[in-house]
C-alpha cells in the first residue's frame, strides 16, 4: 500500500528529529491560525496557509490554535505562541518580537517565495527545531533581479511533475508568462504527493501526473500541454528541445536528460528536508553541466540493488525507474495485488510503501525522505529566480549554482561551478562534437 500524505510527513519528521513516529505524529497535530491584520497581505496569507496546511493543522482563530501567525499587524488571539510576519520593500521579517509590523507592496512573486520561508519558520517552531528569531528574508540575498525580459516559453519542457515541478508552476503564476510549455512525467499521482504538490486533489490519485497537472494548473497566457512518459520519450517524438526545466527525482534521470542534449537547462532539487539546490547553464559553456552537478555516486547502485531485492525485480528493471506494463504484471504476481496498483508508479515510491515502518535507506544507512511542502516549494521558486536572472536587463555576475538551507535565512552564496573531471557529458569529445553539430555551435566549448 502506498504511503499517504500524513504518513510521508510523519516519517520525514521522525527521521529529521531522531524521534519515534508516534511523537512525530503528535507534533504534526500542532494547530496553526493565520490571521490577516493588514488586507494588503491577504494574498501572502493565503499562500502561507496553503503551505502550512500541507504539514500542520490549519485552524480558524476561534479554534484554540497552538500557534498564531499574524500578517502585517499585532497578535489577536490567545494562542500560547504568537508570531508576526512583516513585509518591507527589501524583504520579510518573521518572529515573535516584532514591535511594529507592517505590510509593504512588493512583487507577487517575492511574496510567494517569502511564504515558503515563513511556513518553514512556523513548522520549525511547532516541531522544536531552532531558528533565528526574528527570521529575515532579504530579496538581495536571494538574487531576485530588479528587471527582466518577458518570460516566453518556446515549446520548452518541464521534466517532472512532483513537488518541485508543481511548485515551479505555482511560482510562475506570480509573474507574467506566455508561449507553450510541455509538462512531462510518466508517473501517476499518489496519495503521498498530496502533502507537498500544488494543484493535485484526492480524485487525481492513480491518474497520470502530467495530464492532471495540465487539467488543473492555469499559467497566465502560457499554453500547457501534457506528455505521459520520460523526457527522452518526448525527444524521440518531437525532436530536439532547446530549453528544459528539470525537477525529476533522481541523479541518473538528471544525467539522462543532460545526455539528451538540450541547449539550456534549469534545474532544482531538494536533499530531502535539509537543503535545496538550483543550477542553470546554457551551452556553449566552459563551466558545469547537469552531469557535473549530479555525478554518479556508489550510493545510487546500493539503493537500486536494495529496491530490486525488495520488489523481486532485476537491477535492470529498477534502473527504468517507472513501472511499465510488464513490470506491473510481475509485481502483481510477486505481491498478489492487481497490476493496476503498480503501473506508472516510481520505484522509490513502491519501495517506501513496501518497507512499511522501515523505509529503504541509502548506502550510508540514512532514510530516504520526501520533503515538506515548503522545502520543495522553495526549490521551485529558486528555479524561477534563475529563469528571471537569465533574462535580466541588468549586468549580473555570472553564476550557475545555488545551495541553500531552507531552515535558515538566505545568504548570497551563488557560485560559478566549474566542470567536473571525467564528466560523462563534458568529458566525452564525441558527445560534444554531436552536440555542437546539433545546435550549430563551436565544438571546442
Amino acid at each position: 500500500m502506498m504511503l499517504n500524505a500524513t504518513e510521508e510527513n510523519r516519517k520525514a519528521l521522525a527521521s529529521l528529529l531522531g524521534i519515534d513516529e508516534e511523537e512525530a505524529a503528535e507534533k504534526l497535530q500542532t494547530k496553526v491560525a493565520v490571521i490577516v491584520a493588514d488586507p494588503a497581505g491577504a494574498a501572502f496569507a493565503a499562500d502561507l496557509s496553503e503551505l502550512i496546511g500541507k504539514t500542520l493543522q490549519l485552524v480558524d482563530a476561534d479554534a484554540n490554535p497552538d500557534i498564531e501567525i499574524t500578517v502585517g499587524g499585532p497578535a489577536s488571539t490567545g494562542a500560547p505562541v504568537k508570531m508576526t510576519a512583516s513585509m518591507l520593500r527589501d524583504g520579510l521579517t518573521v518572529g515573535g518580537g516584532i514591535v511594529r509590523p507592517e505590510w509593504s507592496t512588493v512583487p507577487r512573486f517575492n511574496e510567494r517565495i517569502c511564504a515558503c520561508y515563513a511556513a518553514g519558520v512556523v513548522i520549525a517552531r511547532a516541531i522544536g527545531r531552532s531558528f533565528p528569531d526574528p527570521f529575515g528574508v532579504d530579496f538581495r540575498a536571494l538574487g531576485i533581479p530588479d528587471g527582466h525580459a518577458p518570460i516566453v516559453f518556446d515549446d520548452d519542457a518541464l521534466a517532472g511533475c512532483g513537488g518541485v515541478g508543481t511548485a515551479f508552476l505555482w511560482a510562475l503564476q506570480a509573474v507574467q508568462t506566455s508561449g507553450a510549455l510541455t509538462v512531462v512525467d510518466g508517473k501517476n499521482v499518489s496519495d503521498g504527493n498530496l502533502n507537498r504538490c500544488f494543484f493535485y486533489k484526492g480524485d487525481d490519485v492513480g491518474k497520470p501526473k502530467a495530464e492532471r497537472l495540465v487539467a488543473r494548473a492555469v499559467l497566465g497566457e502560457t499554453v500547457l500541454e501534457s506528455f505521459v512518459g520520460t523526457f527522452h520519450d518526448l525527444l524521440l517524438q518531437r525532436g530536439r528541445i532547446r530549453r528544459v526545466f528539470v525537477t525529476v527525482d533522481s541523479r541518473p534521470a538528471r544525467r539522462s536528460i543532460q545526455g539528451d542534449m538540450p541547449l539550456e537547462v534549469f534545474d532544482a532539487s531538494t536533499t530531502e528536508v535539509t537543503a535545496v539546490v538550483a543550477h542553470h547553464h546554457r551551452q556553449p559553456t566552459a563551466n558545469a553541466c547537469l552531469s557535473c552537478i549530479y555525478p554518479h555516486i556508489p550510493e545510487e547502485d546500493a539503493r537500486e540493488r536494495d529496491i530490486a531485492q525488495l520488489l523481486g525485480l532485476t537491477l535492470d528493471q529498477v534502473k527504468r525507474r517507472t513501472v511499465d506494463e510488464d513490470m506491473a504484471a510481475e509485481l502483481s504476481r510477486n505481491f498478489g495485488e492487481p497490476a493496476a496498483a503498480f503501473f506508472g508508479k516510481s520505484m522509490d515510491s513502491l519501495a517506501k510503501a513496501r518497507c512499511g515502518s522501515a523505509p529503504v535507506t541509502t548506502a550510508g544507512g540514512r532514510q530516504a525522505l520526501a520533503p515538506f511542502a515548503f522545502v520543495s516549494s522553495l526549490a521551485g521558486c529558486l528555479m524561477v529566480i534563475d529563469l528571471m536572472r537569465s533574462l535580466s536587463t541588468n549586468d549580473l555576475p555570472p553564476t550557475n549554482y545555488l545551495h541553500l538551507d531552507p531552515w535558515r535565512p538566505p545568504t548570497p552564496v551563488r557560485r560559478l561551478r566549474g566542470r567536473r573531471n571525467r564528466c560523462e557529458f563534458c568529458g566525452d569529445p564525441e558527445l560534444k562534437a554531436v552536440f555542437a553539430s546539433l545546435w550549430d555551435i563551436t565544438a571546442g566549448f
Side-chain angles (χ1 to χ4, degrees):
M1 184 177 179
M2 301 298 291
L3 299 179
N4 62 33
T6 301
E7 292 165 337
E8 290 272 16
N9 282 334
R10 186 181 68 230
K11 289 181 181 296
L13 181 57
S15 180
L16 175 67
L17 299 182
I19 59 179
D20 61 40
E21 290 190 24
E22 184 176 349
E23 185 178 353
E26 184 177 346
K27 289 180 180 293
L28 293 173
Q29 290 301 309
T30 301
K31 295 184 293 183
V32 180
V34 178
I35 310 298
V36 181
D38 187 330
F44 169 87
D47 292 338
L48 179 60
S49 297
E50 185 170 10
L51 285 163
I52 292 173
K54 289 183 179 296
T55 305
L56 304 176
Q57 305 303 307
L58 193 68
V59 300
D60 295 329
D62 58 359
N64 298 317
D66 301 303
I67 298 175
E68 171 198 339
I69 178 165
T70 307
V71 177
S76 60
T77 77
V81 177
K82 300 177 178 65
M83 308 179 80
T84 303
S86 181
M87 183 73 78
L88 299 178
R89 296 192 181 279
D90 57 357
L92 179 80
T93 304
V94 182
I98 299 175
V99 178
R100 292 189 194 171
E102 58 180 286
W103 202 264
S104 301
T105 300
V106 300
R108 186 73 184 92
F109 171 80
N110 295 32
E111 286 190 337
R112 286 217 147 159
I113 194 168
C114 285
C116 299
Y117 276 107
V121 171
V122 173
I123 292 167
R125 184 63 178 83
I127 66 177
R129 185 182 175 96
S130 66
F131 63 93
D133 190 1
F135 187 107
V137 181
D138 188 326
F139 298 147
R140 291 168 299 180
L142 285 168
I144 302 174
D146 293 329
H148 59 84
I151 296 176
V152 181
F153 296 107
D154 183 14
D155 290 325
D156 303 320
L158 167 63
C161 299
V164 180
T166 56
F168 176 62
L169 296 187
W170 173 77
L172 281 171
Q173 287 182 325
V175 297
Q176 186 173 356
T177 67
S178 62
L181 178 67
T182 301
V183 297
V184 184
D185 201 307
K187 292 178 279 189
N188 295 336
V189 179
S190 71
D191 286 322
N193 291 134
L194 304 183
N195 74 318
R196 62 188 181 278
C197 295
F198 291 103
F199 306 112
Y200 299 135
K201 306 297 182 184
D203 57 1
D204 294 325
V205 173
K207 301 173 183 176
K209 286 182 179 180
E211 293 180 355
R212 298 316 303 154
L213 184 55
V214 167
R216 293 196 181 277
V218 177
L219 188 59
E221 299 178 7
T222 301
V223 176
L224 295 177
E225 300 176 351
S226 65
F227 182 85
V228 180
T230 66
F231 180 74
H232 185 71
D233 295 333
L234 176 65
L235 191 77
L236 293 176
Q237 184 180 105
R238 183 195 292 182
R240 61 182 179 178
I241 294 174
R242 180 174 295 272
R243 185 166 61 175
V244 58
F245 302 90
V246 181
T247 67
V248 294
D249 58 3
S250 77
R251 300 170 74 92
R254 283 180 158 86
R255 294 195 299 271
S256 174
I257 288 174
Q258 182 63 73
D260 283 327
M261 302 186 182
L263 185 66
E264 187 170 17
V265 171
F266 293 84
D267 171 81
S269 65
T270 62
T271 305
E272 298 171 346
V273 296
T274 60
V276 291
V277 168
H279 163 73
H280 165 244
H281 79 268
R282 186 182 190 279
Q283 299 288 2
T285 179
N287 298 305
C289 73
L290 195 58
S291 292
C292 294
I293 301 296
Y294 298 97
H296 177 272
I297 55 177
E299 182 178 358
E300 297 173 34
D301 299 330
R303 179 167 172 77
E304 287 174 344
R305 286 194 297 270
D306 287 345
I307 293 175
Q309 183 176 10
L310 179 71
L311 300 179
L313 299 174
T314 68
L315 189 58
D316 286 341
Q317 287 174 316
V318 170
K319 288 180 179 294
R320 297 179 204 171
R321 294 186 289 278
T322 303
V323 177
D324 58 23
E325 290 184 2
D326 291 339
M327 281 188 281
E330 187 168 345
L331 288 167
S332 177
R333 292 190 293 271
N334 292 348
F335 296 101
E337 296 179 22
F342 304 99
F343 179 71
K345 298 289 197 310
S346 73
M347 294 297 174
D348 281 345
S349 296
L350 283 177
K352 284 190 293 183
R354 290 291 153 187
C355 280
S357 61
V360 171
T361 58
T362 66
R366 177 172 46 83
Q367 180 178 329
L369 306 174
F372 294 134
F374 84 92
V375 179
S376 52
S377 299
L378 177 60
C381 288
L382 293 180
M383 193 155 64
V384 173
I385 292 178
D386 275 349
L387 177 56
M388 291 176 173
R389 290 174 65 87
S390 75
L391 301 170
S392 176
T393 53
N394 301 322
D395 186 18
L396 300 176
T399 64
N400 64 3
Y401 183 80
L402 178 65
H403 183 284
L404 289 178
D405 181 344
W407 302 92
R408 314 298 295 179
T411 54
V413 289
R414 291 183 174 273
R415 297 167 50 194
L416 185 62
R417 293 260 312 247
R419 286 182 178 173
R420 179 177 57 87
N421 290 336
R422 299 183 298 278
C423 170
E424 62 188 59
F425 180 78
C426 294
D428 189 329
E430 292 185 4
L431 274 181
K432 289 174 64 176
V434 171
F435 189 97
S437 175
L438 180 66
W439 292 109
D440 192 24
I441 59 177
T442 304
F445 65 90

